[in-house]
Amino acid sequence: MAETPVAAWLRQSAHDLEHAHAALAAGTHDWACLAAAQAAEKAIKAVLLAHGGRVLGIQNLLLLLDRARQEAGVAVDEDLTDDARTLMQALAVLSGQCTYNGIAPYELTTRAQADGAIAAARRLHAHFAGAMAA
């Protein structure tokens, strides 16, 4: 079962996407968004790792996309950048900033947001997994 670290990152990305779908089905939209963001992050990191990049400690998806473009030569169009923004917006809500006003993050996260986050993560995962196959 053990393969390269790159393959492990891609498998974990796919696993995180499965978890996002399960969380959506369970109605835990906040966790669906979080798992979706994790899936996208790990797919991008797999490509960076394959090209000798450092991947630990970076969670900013826009920064990771920029690095993938510059360091790994992966094409990243505006739609993928928008997908990363969608996921980062969800993470901003989930970070708990709203709790200062007495609102729990899960109370602000909708099914539509979770659907959008999963779709965005699926596109990012497919793009970066495809970049590995090329």
Side-chain angles (χ1 to χ4, degrees):
M1 170 149 262
E3 291 182 30
T4 67
V6 172
W9 279 94
L10 284 175
R11 282 196 316 277
Q12 187 63 49
S13 173
H15 179 75
D16 290 351
L17 266 175
E18 290 173 16
H19 179 70
H21 284 284
L24 180 66
T28 53
H29 304 134
D30 54 333
W31 283 104
C33 290
L34 183 60
Q38 288 291 303
E41 179 183 326
K42 290 167 186 161
I44 300 166
K45 286 181 174 182
V47 170
L48 287 170
L49 188 62
H51 287 85
R54 243 180 41 90
V55 298
L56 298 179
I58 302 169
Q59 295 178 303
N60 181 320
L61 295 174
L62 294 173
L63 176 61
L64 288 169
L65 285 181
D66 191 50
R67 286 189 54 206
R69 189 181 304 117
Q70 291 180 13
E71 296 173 23
V74 176
V76 178
D77 64 21
E78 192 61 32
D79 289 340
L80 292 173
T81 302
D82 284 347
D83 285 338
R85 287 186 183 111
T86 295
L87 292 165
M88 288 187 66
Q89 287 169 356
L91 289 174
V93 169
L94 296 173
S95 69
Q97 296 300 318
C98 55
T99 58
Y100 294 114
N101 294 318
I103 302 169
Y106 80 90
E107 295 169 329
L108 294 174
T109 310
T110 66
R111 179 178 180 85
Q113 288 169 316
D115 280 333
I118 290 171
R122 193 179 313 118
R123 287 187 293 270
L124 285 160
H125 174 85
H127 182 76
F128 284 91
M132 292 300 303

